[in-house]
Amino acid sequence: MSEGATTKWQRRKEDRPGEILAAALDCFAERGFAATRMDDVAARAGVTKGTIYLYFKTKEDLFKALVRRELLPNIERLEEMAKVPGPVAVLLERLLDLWATHVVPSRVALIPKLMLAEAGNFPDLAKFYLDEVINRGRTVLRAVLRRGVEAGEFRPDIDVDHVAYCVLAPLVFTVLWRHSFEPHDDRPMDVTAFARAHLDTLLNGLRPAARRK
Amino acid sequence: MSEGATTKWQRRKEDRPGEILAAALDCFAERGFAATRMDDVAARAGVTKGTIYLYFKTKEDLFKALVRRELLPNIERLEEMAKVPGPVAVLLERLLDLWATHVVPSRVALIPKLMLAEAGNFPDLAKFYLDEVINRGRTVLRAVLRRGVEAGEFRPDIDVDHVAYCVLAPLVFTVLWRHSFEPHDDRPMDVTAFARAHLDTLLNGLRPAARRK
Amino acid sequence: MSEGATTKWQRRKEDRPGEILAAALDCFAERGFAATRMDDVAARAGVTKGTIYLYFKTKEDLFKALVRRELLPNIERLEEMAKVPGPVAVLLERLLDLWATHVVPSRVALIPKLMLAEAGNFPDLAKFYLDEVINRGRTVLRAVLRRGVEAGEFRPDIDVDHVAYCVLAPLVFTVLWRHSFEPHDDRPMDVTAFARAHLDTLLNGLRPAARRK
Amino acid sequence: MSEGATTKWQRRKEDRPGEILAAALDCFAERGFAATRMDDVAARAGVTKGTIYLYFKTKEDLFKALVRRELLPNIERLEEMAKVPGPVAVLLERLLDLWATHVVPSRVALIPKLMLAEAGNFPDLAKFYLDEVINRGRTVLRAVLRRGVEAGEFRPDIDVDHVAYCVLAPLVFTVLWRHSFEPHDDRPMDVTAFARAHLDTLLNGLRPAARRK
DNA sequence: GATGAATGAGATTTCATTCAT
DNA sequence: GATGAATGAAATCTCATTCAT
């Protein structure tokens, strides 16, 4: 099709695993792990079923490699961001902006839905995700909120642990929505506007009365 | 063998479909639609595979009947609640309380995760869910928020459409969390505390500066 | 085909496993374990592939069940025979007669070839066969030979351990031959005549000079 | 890369087919034809799968080449031996000695087990083996036995045809045993002692009473 | 109505074979 | 000549569905 490749045979050891993983992520996110056939993945990756097995021992293996590969490079970003000094409000704004512009449109955004659906079938992977993604995220968010309280930016009486979930929930909601119901909805969601509304409500909700707009 | 036993309780035959649907919901929520075998459902319902086919034509049929049956009696409650006059803050408080005490612990709470995972595989069902649940919910929430604005309870500059999602997201998050990662987590989530934190942040976030605590 | 069975559906839970095992034995003996397809076994048993899996978890399982089932009822016969008092020559004659008339034409005769070929692939089964069949057989044969020596029927200087193999080898040879090369040979082997020749040579070979014919 | 290295030993290319055949023989004898993967053979031969196909068109081809190659140089030896004049007892002694010291420890010893197992799958090869090995062997053995009878070494009433199998069976038994059950047995078989016991029993069994020891 | 043995289409996985490098 | 990535046909095994009992 592209670039004059006329032979049916390609040899691209370097790229294959990546191509296959990308295809698998799409398929799994669309139909779920069990409902995806290896043929589907192969077709989307532009190879044959057999080729997948050159790189991944089983379908389950493919799934796990996929999740780990997509997540690992993203786990640390949040932690880095949280270290930057300055007002927490600015930090949260940056976080939401990054989310709307870089995370939601990227492939990682497909992972949460997948993990949610398959947590019951892949307990070890669920544990991994819980430990390496959710817990680290929770910890960072709590620290940030506490920093806000200590700096007087936020009310001292907030329930930091549960408010952390309030910060997180709309972010998760966005990616889930996008890859499930939005395609069937008339009006696509405006992620940026949503992020702005979320930030606005949240910051006003957390600030002491004196500092509100 | 013991057919002469007349005192033996007759299995209530009229409940078979209900028992099967309940079993199916559990199974689907745990493992997903495709990964659930009819044998699993049958075993959990305490019947044999063949019996399921007396009441449902196919596995897909079972799934659809299930979703519809669980949702329909719940759709109208929210709409009813919203009609009750009085301060919106009180209304939201009641809503969250109902959620924490009745919805989260009930079987309906399993539906969102299922629908999320299978929206791609069952477009018509997704459309149904979008129309009959999500849209009606959205509409109600928007109306409620607008009522709050009009009554002066909420700031006039809020983005009603997107704030509606901010109200909803943590609710959805709770049920998803409960049936995916919570079983693997050390500390179970305190839904009531979460609801309180959500309400607190939200109301303070929406109120005009003058009315905040 | 037979007995007016007009439906494609038969329900014969009792007989199925036996029918399947019989079919499997034939197929395995003909083509070997690996070269036999489950479809082959199913076709010969008059069922479909799926049915086999109702009774046996895997192909390997089928193989092991088969070997064990065919052997177990046969292991003890030899031991019983050896207990009968009387001249050893008579005992050996009876043994060879039983072999020629009952063992060689029966299904058990297929097992040695199978076990020989698959000993490398199924070490635990090989161990079982070695322990339960070969060793018990060896032990009996040695005891019988020793009895012959003690009774003065046989020369006192024979190497009992190795002569036992000399007794056994032609018996094994017969069944291997019958199910491998004989079908391609012009003249079928006359098992009875072979047994007679074997007995004659053997007894004369073991007797002290004085007792020979 | 290091193509300038002239002192480097060139792999003896002329031996590739031989190396591959040797590897194949080992693999086939261990696991059987069908259960052996070309990868197994390649790995044992120290080449890659593709290389095998430079020398052999198919797996079946490899198998047939193997059998023919191993057998052909061995077929005529027996015939040569049988031509040597002298007492038949001496001839048989030499034969058994050759078997124990040269045949059993060699690669040809792997062939019978293989042929036995695969006779059903490779009828033309079975026919070849029957014609070129078994029949020539049978013929020689019968001639030898007849010579013994004519020379008065053996009783005139022996059933030459079937006694030939009695001579052969223990020889076959040895190699089969060695490559199937012996590895799982506690005590390895002493081939030389076995050969001696066989010869002793056999000669005494065939000799007329007057000539026995 | 209920059962569960049997089916058969379809899934995952393997592996002999090919061919660009 | 040698490689090994890629293929695709065929194998094992699963499971939704049927139907005689």
Side-chain angles (χ1 to χ4, degrees), chain A residues 159-205:
Chain A
D159 175 352
V160 167
D161 281 9
H162 290 107
V163 167
Y165 289 125
C166 294
V167 179
L168 185 63
L171 305 195
V172 174
F173 184 86
T174 323
V175 294
L176 296 180
W177 178 262
R178 166 144 299 192
H179 298 291
S180 53
F181 294 110
E182 197 182 75
H184 303 100
D185 200 12
D186 305 325
R187 273 185 301 170
M189 176 190 275
D190 178 342
V191 180
T192 307
F194 181 30
R196 218 180 307 125
H198 178 34
L199 187 70
D200 176 61
T201 316
L202 187 70
L203 289 180
N204 273 297

Side-chain angles (χ1 to χ4, degrees), chain B residues 23 38-49 52:
Chain B
M38 293 301 258
D39 270 324
D40 298 332
V41 178
R44 197 180 292 221
V47 298
T48 57
K49 239 186 329 184
I52 301 180

Side-chain angles (χ1 to χ4, degrees), chain A residues 37-96:
Chain A
R37 286 165 304 141
M38 293 301 259
D39 268 325
D40 298 332
V41 178
R44 196 179 293 223
V47 298
T48 56
K49 242 181 329 181
T51 302
I52 301 180
Y53 286 91
L54 289 178
Y55 300 100
F56 305 96
K57 253 207 323 269
T58 64
K59 191 185 178 187
E60 200 171 315
D61 225 56
L62 175 63
F63 179 63
K64 292 180 175 174
L66 167 65
V67 172
R68 289 191 158 83
R69 186 182 132 128
E70 288 300 327
L71 290 176
L72 286 176
N74 282 281
I75 292 175
E76 286 164 17
R77 284 211 206 151
L78 181 67
E79 291 175 334
E80 291 308 316
M81 277 189 70
K83 286 180 187 156
V84 178
V88 169
V90 173
L91 179 59
L92 287 177
E93 188 175 359
R94 272 219 231 95
L95 176 68
L96 286 187

Side-chain angles (χ1 to χ4, degrees), chain B residues 72-82 98 102-103:
Chain B
L72 287 176
N74 282 280
I75 292 175
E76 286 163 18
R77 281 209 207 152
L78 182 66
E79 291 175 333
E80 293 306 317
M81 277 188 70
L98 183 74
H102 286 83
V103 177

Side-chain angles (χ1 to χ4, degrees), chain A residues 29-32 34-35 112-113 115-127 129-130 134-135 138 142 155 157-159 161-163 165-166 168-173 176-177 179-181 184-187 189-191 193-194 196-198 200-209 211-213, chain B residues 29-32 34-35 112-113 115-127 129-130 134-135 138 142 155 157-159 161-163 165-166 168-173 176-177 179-182 184-187 189-191 193-194 196-198 200-209 212-213:
Chain A
E30 241 171 55
R31 295 199 255 293
K113 182 183 149 193
M115 278 307 311
L116 220 50
E118 304 298 342
N121 292 320
F122 300 94
D124 56 328
L125 199 62
K127 206 94 187 74
Y129 189 78
L130 188 60
I134 298 178
N135 270 337
R138 278 200 291 213
R142 285 184 198 132
R155 282 182 285 135
D157 65 336
I158 64 173
D159 175 352
D161 281 9
H162 290 107
V163 167
Y165 289 125
C166 294
L168 185 63
L171 305 195
V172 174
F173 184 86
L176 296 180
W177 178 262
H179 298 291
S180 53
F181 294 110
H184 303 100
D185 200 12
D186 305 325
R187 273 185 301 170
M189 176 190 275
D190 178 342
V191 180
F194 181 30
R196 218 180 307 125
H198 178 34
D200 176 61
T201 316
L202 187 70
L203 289 180
N204 273 297
L206 297 176
R207 278 179 190 135
R211 305 181 66 146
R212 288 175 200 159
K213 70 173 176 186
Chain B
E30 240 171 57
R31 297 199 254 293
K113 182 183 152 193
M115 279 308 310
L116 220 50
E118 305 298 342
N121 292 320
F122 300 93
D124 56 328
L125 200 62
K127 206 94 185 78
Y129 189 79
L130 188 59
I134 298 177
N135 271 336
R138 277 200 291 214
R142 284 183 198 132
R155 282 182 283 133
D157 64 337
I158 64 174
D159 174 352
D161 281 8
H162 290 107
V163 167
Y165 289 124
C166 294
L168 185 63
L171 303 194
V172 175
F173 183 87
L176 295 180
W177 177 261
H179 298 291
S180 54
F181 294 109
E182 197 183 75
H184 303 100
D185 201 11
D186 305 326
R187 275 184 301 170
M189 176 188 274
D190 179 342
V191 179
F194 181 29
R196 219 180 306 123
H198 179 33
D200 176 62
T201 315
L202 186 70
L203 289 181
N204 274 297
L206 297 176
R207 279 179 189 135
R212 287 175 203 158
K213 68 172 177 186

